[in-house]
């Protein structure tokens, strides 16, 4: 049995053994300093120059050095005045040293090279169709893409100081990490010399080149700068990034470690594939985070700013030693963002953020159950989802509840200080907790971090009038390996006229909990606030749910009651309770959940009440009511939605009203279509909604309009990807649309290419496989989606072949029966 358990433990510990195993790689040398001196050509999309690495061997006789170097032309390699022999093979640069070097030696290795990167360094430029795009060049190193533009050691388990000397044509500026050591005017070009004095992992090396204006801010003597486009005002910059000094002040306090670096810059970049990236002292932010008052309160940059700033501690100061432990980067940054909302907006706002995290955890578990520490994977970027972001945050909050506020922060501050400027793994966090609090939390890390899965609780509550006690029977119903059940504390709330709470430990398949209660409880809540990421079954009557919705102190428990209500048939008292919640609850998030529940229940004859209760609400609540109104037709609903389109100045509300109108009255929607397709909004939401309608309301006229919008330059740049998604709805009527998806696989917009790849995954044939296989080389940014599309096409082909073989076998069997019958007749 012990051997079987060991096998199971190894399976869960390392993830999925059918995928390649990725341990921390061995190192032959320690990079001490790196100097990158390059010239950027924005027209030819090239980088050229040299890089010098100062390194020390980690062996007694180092004769060969290997750097990561892909898609580049190496001109020469030297050490001092000595030129060295080298070879390029399999994205590696192999350098033969002039002799053996040992532990006490220090080498300077200089590589002269040029590159036209396919990834890692991206070039943006305007053209005749989109003249308002910006000339830019920017890097994205995570996970291991910086070696496409500079030869280096490209894995996080080494840290080095470095400097970037970047020459760019005027009028562009080059922004990089650390301090601006020197700037030189060369006539037609300028050279910017940046120097980072603190050691970091090489995936955090970054730069952005473009035409920017700098908006200055500060925290004490620390320079804080926001690099935005010339067309932006300082008000625009502060609207998105102005809370940075406040957030930095808060993080300094809670981590116990003062921000140590030379400055903190945030630069916006165009066509970024992510929302943000936490390069040391220079965070790259998508320019889509910029917004006007029309997007508020539905959109805010504050969460993004907090998350990326938190990474300056957890991700940069302390960096995961390997990608398997990436949750130490992402989970901590997500947790600190939650804490910022708790500090700045209050408990309700923060708990609503945590609820979204909990939902992400359960979705990730349902999609692909796996541990948080994962050594088995195809590509390390597949690890970066809610399984490490949201789950990491949720588990850190659980640790805070288990240890208590003061012991928890004592442990976190010790962990931070002890491991500053170093690489970490999960055992470093566990060790820090044990050394500061005395608590050996092996059981916690074993069940939540090193193993996959979530508990599933079935709770039954009974009241005994004779003993005046409430008895809860809690059964864990999830699949369990070797009777390994989740061990966790849980808080039970009992409302018997006055609220009492009891915290107990669950440990085993079944736990029976007895709580004194003088009378039949009005409300019993299991796991108050839903601290544990779990699936909960706790049957309650409508009366109990309505009481909980009205009186539960914690917003998550009120929202849980709403979710349970929306699973039923929508009896009148439930509908009234949800409407009353929209009108009376103190928190906008609970109101939104109630309106969304009404949208799922689709009760009759409440359109008038929905319209009435939406008036005067927070814009996010009004949007939820507008979404629910999509279930109702009639002139009054149409007029209400059209009035919003005519009078509102809120982009997100306008987009939702347009979407609901398309379902309520297609004629009225057609009248708004030209306006919607010409309306600018944050993220092009209004225009994208109109494009989506052209795909949903299929007609020859709409098809032709989409064909026209698909042409390069005929739609706005941000709305073009939505056009190709909408065209997929016409595959049944116009099979030739498949050719459009293949024609645009080389489109300049990576999002257009991605949507075309997805459509081929849905509708493509085996004849498309060679084309997609070629795109794997030419479009590395979308390689995950290309591989997925190819897998789906092959799967359909195999299924079709199997069905054909089955049909042929049935025909042969039928022919044999017919021959047999003929033989009987002949006889």
């Amino acid at each position: 049995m012990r051997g079987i358990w060991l096998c199971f433990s190894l399976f869960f510990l390392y993830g999925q053994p059918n995928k390649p195993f990725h341990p921390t790689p061995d190192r032959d040398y320690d990079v001490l300093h790196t100097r990158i001196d390059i010239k950027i050509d924005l027209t030819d999309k090239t980088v050229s120059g040299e890089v010098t690495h100062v390194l020390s061997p980690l062996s007694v006789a180092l004769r060969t050095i290997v750097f990561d170097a892909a898609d580049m032309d190496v001109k020469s390699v030297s050490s001092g005045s000595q030129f060295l022999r080298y070879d390029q093979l399999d994205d590696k640069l192999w350098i033969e040293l002039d002799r053996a070097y040992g532990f006490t030696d220090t080498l300077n290795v200089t590589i002269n090279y040029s590159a036209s990167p396919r990834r890692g360094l991206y070039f943006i430029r305007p053209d005749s169709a989109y003249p308002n795009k910006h000339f830019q060049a920017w890097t994205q190193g995570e996970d291991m893409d910086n070696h496409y533009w500079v030869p280096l050691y490209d894995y996080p388990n080494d840290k080095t100081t470095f400097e970037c000397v970047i020459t760019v044509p005027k009028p562009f500026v080059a922004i990089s990490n650390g301090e601006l050591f020197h700037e030189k005017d060369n006539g037609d070009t300028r050279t910017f010399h940046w120097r980072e004095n603190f050691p970091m992992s090489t995936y955090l090396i970054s730069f952005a080149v473009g035409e920017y204006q700098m908006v200055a801010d500060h925290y004490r003597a620390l320079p804080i700068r926001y690099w935005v486009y010339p067309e932006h005002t300082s008000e625009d910059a502060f609207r998105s990034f102005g809370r940075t000094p406040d957030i930095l002040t808060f993080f300094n306090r809670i981590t116990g470690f003062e921000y140590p670096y030379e400055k903190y810059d945030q630069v916006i970049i165009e066509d970024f594939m992510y929302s943000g990236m936490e390069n040391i002292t220079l965070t790259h932010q998508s320019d889509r985070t910029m917004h006007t008052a029309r997007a508020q309160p539905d959109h805010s940059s504050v969460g993004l700013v907090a998350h990326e700033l938190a990474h300056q501690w957890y991700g940069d100061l302390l960096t995961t030693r390997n990608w398997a432990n990436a949750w130490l980067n992402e989970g901590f940054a997500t947790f600190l963002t939650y804490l910022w909302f708790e500090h700045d907006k209050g408990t309700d706002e923060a708990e609503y953020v945590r609820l979204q995290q909990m939902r992400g955890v359960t979705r990730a578990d349902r999609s692909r159950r796996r541990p948080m520490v994962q050594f088995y994977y195809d590509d390390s970027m597949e690890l970066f989802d809610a399984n490490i972001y949201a789950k990491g945050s949720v588990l850190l909050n659980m640790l805070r509840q288990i240890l208590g506020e003061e012991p928890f922060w004592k442990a976190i501050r010790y962990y931070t200080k002890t491991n500053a400027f170093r690489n970490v793994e999960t055992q470093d966090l566990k060790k820090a907790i044990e050394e500061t609090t005395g608590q050996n939390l092996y059981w916690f890390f074993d069940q939540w971090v090193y193993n996959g899965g979530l508990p599933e609780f079935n709770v039954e509550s009974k009241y005994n009038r004779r003993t005046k006690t409430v008895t809860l029977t809690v059964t864990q119903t999830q699949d369990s390996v070797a009777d390994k059940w989740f061990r966790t504390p849980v808080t039970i709330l009992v409302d018997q006229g006055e609220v009492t709470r009891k915290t107990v430990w669950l440990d085993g398949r079944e736990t029976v909990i007895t709580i004194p209660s003088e009378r039949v409880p009005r409300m019993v809540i299991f796991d108050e606030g839903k601290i544990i990421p779990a699936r909960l079954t706790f049957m309650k009557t409508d009366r109990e749910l309505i009481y909980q919705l009205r009186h539960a102190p914690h917003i998550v428990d009120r929202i849980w009651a709403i979710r349970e209500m929306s699973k039923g048939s929508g009896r009148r008292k439930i509908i009234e309770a949800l409407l009353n919640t929209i009108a009376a609850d103190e928190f906008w998030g609970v109101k939104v959940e109630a309106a969304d529940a009404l949208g799922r229940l689709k009760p009759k004859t409440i359109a008038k009440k929905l319209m009435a209760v939406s008036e005067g609400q927070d814009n996010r609540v009004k949007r939820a009511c507008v979404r629910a109104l999509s279930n109702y037709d009639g002139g009054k609903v149409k007029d209400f939605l059209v009035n919003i389109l005519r009078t509102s100045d809120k982009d997100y509300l306008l987009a939702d009203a347009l979407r609901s109108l398309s379902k309520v009255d297609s004629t009225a929607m057609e009248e708004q279509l030209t306006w919607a397709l010409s309306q600018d909004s944050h993220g092009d939401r209004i225009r994208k909604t109109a494009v989506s309608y052209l795909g949903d309301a299929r007609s020859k006229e709409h098809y032709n309009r989409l064909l026209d919008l698909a042409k390069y330059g005929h739609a706005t740049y941000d709305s073009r990807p939505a056009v190709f998604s909408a065209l997929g709805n016409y595959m049944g009527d116009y099979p030739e649309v498949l050719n459009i998806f293949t024609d645009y696989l080389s489109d300049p917009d990576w999002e257009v290419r991605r949507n075309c790849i997805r459509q081929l995954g849905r509708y493509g044939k085996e004849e498309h496989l060679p084309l997609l296989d070629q795109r794997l080389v030419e479009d590395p940014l979308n390689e995950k989606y290309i591989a997925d599309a190819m897998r789906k096409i092959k799967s359909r082909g195999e299924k079709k072949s199997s069905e054909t073989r089955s049909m042929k076998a049935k025909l042969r069997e039928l022919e044999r029966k017919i021959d047999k019958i003929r033989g009987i007749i002949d006889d």
Side-chain angles (χ1 to χ4, degrees):
M1 176 62 77
R2 185 175 179 181
I4 294 173
W5 172 240
L6 176 61
C7 291
F8 277 119
S9 294
L10 290 172
F11 172 83
F12 285 114
L13 174 60
Y14 295 113
Q16 301 180 17
N18 62 326
K19 292 176 177 281
F21 179 56
H22 293 279
T24 307
D26 295 333
R27 289 191 295 136
D28 297 323
Y29 52 84
D30 179 24
V31 182
L32 306 175
H33 183 73
T34 293
R35 187 181 194 274
I36 303 169
D37 190 343
I38 54 176
K39 179 180 179 180
I40 304 297
D41 191 322
L42 282 83
T43 302
D44 292 341
K45 299 183 178 181
T46 60
V47 55
S48 60
E50 66 178 31
V51 57
T52 299
H53 297 293
V54 182
L55 55 88
S56 177
L58 294 175
S59 65
V60 294
L62 181 66
R63 294 182 178 273
T64 302
I65 292 176
V66 182
F67 289 115
D68 299 295
D71 296 345
M72 59 183 61
D73 179 17
V74 175
K75 314 288 187 183
S76 66
V77 179
S78 61
S79 180
S81 60
Q82 177 79 36
F83 283 95
L84 303 176
R85 296 176 63 182
Y86 64 90
D87 193 14
Q88 291 179 257
L89 181 67
D90 296 333
D91 294 343
K92 302 285 185 181
L93 175 62
W94 296 73
I95 301 171
E96 184 179 329
L97 299 176
D98 58 330
R99 64 177 178 84
Y101 290 84
F103 285 110
T104 60
D105 293 315
T106 299
L107 294 82
N108 285 29
V109 178
T110 299
I111 305 162
N112 187 282
Y113 71 99
S114 63
S116 300
R118 293 179 302 131
R119 60 199 306 170
L121 173 57
Y122 301 89
F123 294 86
I124 312 297
R125 61 184 180 184
D127 56 27
S128 58
Y130 297 100
N132 293 326
K133 290 186 71 63
H134 301 85
F135 268 110
Q136 288 181 1
W138 45 262
T139 60
Q140 171 54 34
E142 192 178 37
D143 56 353
M144 297 173 291
D145 285 352
N146 272 341
H147 70 275
Y148 283 84
W149 63 270
V150 57
L152 42 62
Y153 180 81
D154 203 0
Y155 197 84
N157 67 328
D158 190 16
K159 292 198 171 195
T160 178
T161 58
F162 73 93
E163 49 196 308
C164 284
V165 184
I166 307 170
T167 300
V168 297
K170 291 180 177 177
F172 305 117
V173 298
I175 312 153
S176 189
N177 317 89
E179 60 180 337
L180 182 59
F181 182 65
H182 182 66
E183 180 180 338
K184 181 182 178 182
D185 191 323
N186 309 309
D188 293 336
T189 65
R190 285 187 292 177
T191 299
F192 298 85
H193 185 172
W194 295 87
R195 185 170 64 186
E196 178 52 65
N197 301 298
F198 296 90
M200 77 171 82
S201 297
T202 53
Y203 76 88
L204 296 167
I205 298 174
S206 71
F207 65 80
V209 174
E211 195 169 358
Y212 289 100
Q213 63 164 317
M214 186 267 288
V215 177
D217 203 349
H218 66 92
Y219 165 77
R220 296 178 181 169
L222 177 74
I224 294 177
R225 294 172 295 206
Y226 317 128
W227 298 87
V228 295
Y229 299 151
E231 60 264 30
H232 290 131
T233 66
S234 59
E235 182 183 3
D236 294 329
F238 278 99
R239 185 182 299 114
S240 285
F241 307 122
R243 299 304 305 277
T244 302
D246 298 330
I247 300 170
L248 192 147
T249 302
F250 176 67
F251 288 167
N252 277 340
R253 179 172 62 81
I254 63 170
T255 63
F257 199 101
E258 191 82 6
Y259 182 88
Y261 308 118
E262 302 90 346
K263 48 95 172 175
Y264 186 61
D265 286 356
Q266 293 171 86
V267 58
I268 60 172
I269 55 179
E270 193 165 358
D271 294 349
F272 196 27
M273 66 284 289
Y274 307 119
S275 298
M277 176 62 207
E278 65 276 9
N279 310 298
I280 192 167
T281 75
L282 175 62
T283 288
H284 291 187
Q285 306 280 29
S286 167
D287 61 4
R288 293 175 182 176
T289 198
M290 300 296 289
H291 59 282
T292 68
R294 293 178 60 91
Q296 295 174 321
D298 310 275
H299 172 83
S300 170
S301 301
V302 172
L304 175 63
V305 169
H307 182 93
E308 303 306 335
L309 181 52
H311 271 308
Q312 298 297 313
W313 284 264
Y314 305 104
D316 296 5
L317 182 69
L318 288 74
T319 309
T320 181
R321 183 173 299 279
N322 46 53
W323 298 119
N325 282 274
W327 83 272
L328 294 172
N329 291 7
E330 301 301 345
F332 265 84
T334 307
F335 178 58
L336 261 67
T337 304
Y338 155 78
L339 293 173
W340 164 254
F341 281 111
E342 184 179 63
H343 168 78
D344 186 56
K345 298 289 187 180
T347 301
D348 286 354
E349 195 83 30
E351 287 301 284
Y352 198 47
V353 169
R354 189 180 62 82
L355 175 62
Q356 310 312 318
Q357 295 173 3
M358 294 279 276
R359 289 170 174 173
V361 172
T362 55
R363 284 194 299 269
D365 180 71
R366 189 180 300 113
S367 172
R368 186 162 64 92
R369 177 164 292 181
R370 60 210 190 277
M372 286 173 62
V373 174
Q374 309 165 69
F375 284 97
Y376 280 94
Y377 51 81
D378 291 318
D379 183 273
S380 55
M381 290 309 293
E382 74 189 51
L383 308 180
F384 287 76
D385 62 7
N387 192 57
I388 66 171
Y389 285 77
K391 190 174 182 181
S393 174
V394 167
L395 295 192
L396 287 168
N397 186 62
M398 288 178 66
L399 279 172
R400 184 167 68 143
Q401 306 295 325
I402 292 169
L403 293 172
E405 199 76 20
E406 186 175 347
F408 173 78
W409 283 112
K410 182 181 179 183
I412 294 301
R413 288 165 184 158
Y414 179 78
Y415 166 71
T416 305
K417 182 178 180 180
T418 302
N419 295 288
F421 306 109
R422 297 175 60 184
N423 293 108
V424 289
E425 295 182 274
T426 299
Q427 56 262 36
D428 295 306
L429 175 61
K430 177 185 175 297
K431 179 181 176 182
I433 294 171
E434 186 169 354
E435 289 185 355
T436 52
T437 70
Q439 299 298 305
N440 182 357
L441 298 181
Y442 74 92
W443 58 270
F444 181 92
F445 288 93
D446 177 59
Q447 68 188 14
W448 292 113
V449 179
Y450 293 123
N451 281 280
L454 303 175
E456 298 178 15
F457 297 125
N458 183 76
V459 179
E460 295 181 359
S461 174
K462 293 182 180 179
Y463 180 70
N464 189 315
R465 294 179 182 275
R466 182 177 60 82
T467 60
K468 294 185 177 182
T469 55
V470 179
T471 300
L472 272 70
T473 303
V474 183
T475 307
Q476 297 193 39
T477 60
Q478 74 276 3
D479 292 334
S480 180
V481 177
D483 294 330
K484 189 174 177 65
W485 309 104
F486 281 82
R487 174 188 177 191
T488 183
V490 62
T491 297
I492 314 296
L493 179 148
V494 176
D495 181 348
Q496 50 176 320
E498 61 179 33
V499 172
T500 59
R501 292 175 175 86
K502 182 176 182 179
T503 299
V504 298
W505 280 82
L506 306 180
D507 192 1
R509 182 178 180 275
E510 184 175 284
T511 305
V512 178
I513 305 162
T514 302
I515 302 172
S517 179
E518 287 297 318
R519 56 188 64 84
V520 178
R522 299 171 182 174
M523 176 172 62
V524 177
I525 295 177
F526 173 83
D527 186 23
E528 185 183 13
K530 304 299 173 284
I531 303 300
I532 306 168
R535 296 180 179 89
L536 172 63
T537 301
F538 191 175
M539 301 302 296
K540 295 191 175 187
T541 65
D542 287 351
R543 185 176 185 178
E544 290 171 325
L545 290 172
I546 291 170
Y547 187 89
Q548 181 168 326
L549 174 57
R550 290 175 179 169
H551 299 286
H554 200 290
I555 65 152
V556 173
D557 294 320
R558 302 204 293 276
I559 292 171
W560 184 87
I562 291 171
R563 283 298 178 110
E564 291 298 300
M565 290 176 178
S566 69
K567 296 175 183 178
S569 58
R571 287 181 285 275
R572 188 179 68 177
K573 56 186 176 182
I574 292 292
I575 303 306
E576 290 300 323
L578 293 172
L579 286 167
N580 289 337
T581 297
I582 299 173
D585 200 278
E586 295 179 351
F587 181 61
W588 67 267
V590 177
K591 294 168 180 266
V592 166
E593 298 284 339
D596 286 343
L598 288 171
R600 291 190 296 271
L601 288 168
K602 303 177 183 179
K604 299 178 181 179
T605 67
I606 69 159
K608 184 177 179 181
K609 292 181 179 179
L610 265 176
M611 290 185 284
V613 78
S614 72
E615 295 299 334
Q617 296 279 6
D618 179 290
N619 198 60
R620 293 163 289 192
V621 179
K622 187 162 188 173
R623 286 176 56 207
C625 294
V626 164
R627 291 193 297 268
L629 285 170
S630 66
N631 297 311
Y632 306 96
D633 53 18
K636 290 185 178 179
V637 174
K638 179 206 73 173
D639 292 344
F640 179 80
L641 296 172
V642 170
N643 184 61
I644 290 174
L645 296 177
R646 289 174 178 169
T647 62
S648 178
D649 62 352
K650 294 296 183 183
D651 289 344
Y652 285 71
L653 177 60
L654 288 167
D656 283 338
L658 192 69
R659 185 175 293 106
S660 289
L661 182 64
S662 71
K663 299 176 181 179
V664 168
D665 192 315
S666 59
T667 301
M669 178 64 188
E670 291 288 339
E671 293 172 356
Q672 300 293 330
L673 195 55
T674 300
W675 166 83
L677 287 169
S678 64
Q679 185 72 17
D680 293 333
S681 59
H682 183 253
D684 232 352
R685 291 183 71 90
I686 296 172
R687 194 175 280 113
K688 287 177 182 177
T689 301
V691 168
S692 178
Y693 168 75
L694 292 176
D696 293 336
R698 296 195 304 274
S699 70
K700 179 69 173 177
E701 179 186 354
H702 289 171
Y703 175 63
N704 288 333
R705 197 160 191 176
L706 285 171
L707 290 180
D708 181 68
L709 289 171
K711 296 175 183 176
Y712 192 73
H714 284 215
T716 60
Y717 202 84
D718 283 349
S719 69
R720 290 187 68 237
V723 173
F724 292 87
S725 293
L727 277 170
N729 293 346
Y730 286 89
M731 272 297 300
D733 300 320
Y734 303 97
E736 64 271 17
V737 78
L738 199 60
N739 296 327
I740 294 175
F741 303 138
T742 59
D743 291 343
Y744 282 89
L745 285 177
S746 299
D747 192 88
D749 186 351
W750 66 270
E751 289 187 272
V752 167
R753 300 196 304 271
R754 179 169 294 181
N755 283 353
C756 289
I757 292 163
R758 284 170 166 165
Q759 299 291 10
L760 287 173
R762 295 186 183 102
Y763 307 113
K765 304 174 183 178
E766 290 186 331
E767 64 195 58
H768 295 115
L769 290 174
L771 178 60
L772 288 170
D773 191 52
Q774 180 183 353
R775 294 304 302 168
L776 273 175
V777 177
E778 298 173 353
D779 190 5
L781 193 60
N782 283 314
E783 63 184 6
K784 171 187 173 183
Y785 299 90
I786 296 170
D788 185 58
M790 294 177 71
R791 179 185 58 78
K792 290 178 179 177
I793 292 172
K794 290 176 182 177
S795 178
R796 283 198 299 273
E798 292 169 358
K799 182 179 179 181
K800 186 176 181 180
S801 298
S802 176
E803 291 173 347
T804 301
R805 289 193 298 270
S806 177
M807 181 61 69
K808 287 181 178 179
K810 289 178 180 178
L811 287 173
R812 287 194 296 270
E813 179 64 24
L814 182 60
E815 287 172 355
R816 284 196 294 269
K817 289 181 179 179
I818 292 173
D819 289 343
K820 185 175 182 180
I821 292 170
R822 284 174 177 166
I824 295 172
I825 293 173
D826 290 342
D827 290 343

